[in-house]
Amino acid sequence: NAVDIICALDSVGVVTRVNKAFENRLGYSRQNVIDTSISDYLVKDDRAAFENFLGLVRTEQQMSHHTEKDMLTIDGDTRHMEWSAKWDPEQQSYFCIIYDITQRKELEQAKQQFVSMVSHDLRSPLTSIRVSLGMFLNGVFGDLGEKATSRLQTMDSSVDRLIRLINDLLDSEKLDAGQMDLL
C-alpha cells in the first residue's frame, strides 16, 4: 500500500520484486516488470549514470545512497524520481525506494522562471530611472535647488537598493540551481 515505489534488483539491475506503486506511478504491470532491467524504465540519458550509481551503492555497503534519475511512464511521459538504494550482500540484491519528485521539480522550475521574469521586468525600468536620476543630479537639465537635489539623491539611493535586492535575488536563485560559479 506504499505510495512510493519499492523494489528489489539483482546484482545486474534486473527487477526481482516490485510493489503496486510501480504500476500506479508508471503504468507498467508488475508482472511484466519482474525479470526486466530497471534501465528499461529510465530515460536513455540517465542509464549509464544509474549503472555507476549502483556500482557505488554496492562498493559502499554500509550506507544508503541517493540519486535523482528520470523514469518513463508507459505513455512515454517523464517522471522525475529520487532514488534511495542499499546493497544487501547476503541476498545479493539492491533494495530501492523511489520517490516521485516530479511536482517538486516542476514547481522549482516555475519559481526560477518567475523570479527571472520578474527581476528582468523590474531591473529594466529601474535602470532607466537610475540613468535619468543621474542626469538630473549631474546638472544635465540645469541647476536644481538644494531641496530637489536632496530628494533626487534619496530616490537614487532607493533605486540602487532595489537593484541590489533584485541582483541578490537572482544570485540566490543561481545558487539554489547550482548555476553560480563561486570562484
Side-chain angles (χ1 to χ4, degrees):
N1 293 329
V3 175
D4 300 315
I5 297 170
I6 302 171
C7 65
L9 311 175
D10 70 9
S11 61
V12 293
V14 171
V15 179
T16 57
R17 288 177 284 181
V18 66
N19 69 342
K20 181 81 172 152
F22 197 99
E23 192 171 318
N24 294 342
R25 291 275 180 194
L26 302 174
Y28 302 98
S29 163
R30 288 190 318 176
Q31 293 78 12
N32 293 338
V33 171
I34 302 295
D35 294 328
T36 63
S37 174
I38 195 67
S39 291
D40 294 344
Y41 307 99
L42 295 169
V43 296
K44 288 185 182 185
D45 292 345
D46 283 350
R47 290 177 184 173
F50 186 75
E51 288 177 20
N52 292 337
F53 167 73
L54 288 181
L56 177 68
V57 170
R58 190 168 183 173
T59 58
E60 297 182 15
Q61 299 170 17
Q62 73 276 9
M63 60 175 63
S64 175
H65 291 274
H66 302 273
T67 189
E68 291 181 13
K69 299 293 176 232
D70 293 341
M71 297 183 78
L72 297 169
T73 67
I74 198 165
D75 299 327
D77 293 332
T78 300
R79 305 297 295 173
H80 303 286
M81 304 298 228
E82 182 178 336
W83 291 70
S84 177
K86 182 151 179 53
W87 172 253
D88 184 338
E90 289 180 25
Q91 296 201 18
Q92 292 291 295
S93 291
Y94 296 97
F95 293 99
C96 305
I97 300 175
I98 309 165
Y99 311 94
D100 189 340
I101 58 170
T102 303
Q103 286 182 325
R104 183 180 83 198
K105 288 290 194 180
E106 289 171 351
L107 184 62
E108 288 171 1
Q109 185 178 9
K111 179 181 145 200
Q112 288 173 351
Q113 290 172 344
F114 175 76
V115 167
S116 180
M117 178 192 65
V118 167
S119 61
H120 178 268
D121 288 352
L122 288 175
R123 196 181 337 183
S124 294
L126 285 173
T127 302
S128 180
I129 291 169
R130 183 183 201 189
V131 168
S132 296
L133 286 171
M135 291 171 71
F136 275 108
L137 290 169
N138 289 321
V140 172
F141 301 111
D143 290 334
L144 302 173
E146 206 174 296
K147 191 173 183 180
T149 300
S150 175
R151 296 246 179 188
L152 288 173
Q153 287 172 334
T154 301
M155 291 171 61
D156 190 50
S157 294
S158 295
V159 168
D160 280 342
R161 187 171 48 86
L162 285 172
I163 290 172
R164 281 193 313 273
L165 284 171
I166 292 167
N167 289 336
D168 289 348
L169 180 64
L170 285 173
D171 289 346
S172 173
E173 283 302 309
K174 285 181 184 177
L175 278 172
D176 285 348
Q179 298 172 343
M180 179 174 268
D181 187 15
L182 297 175
L183 296 178

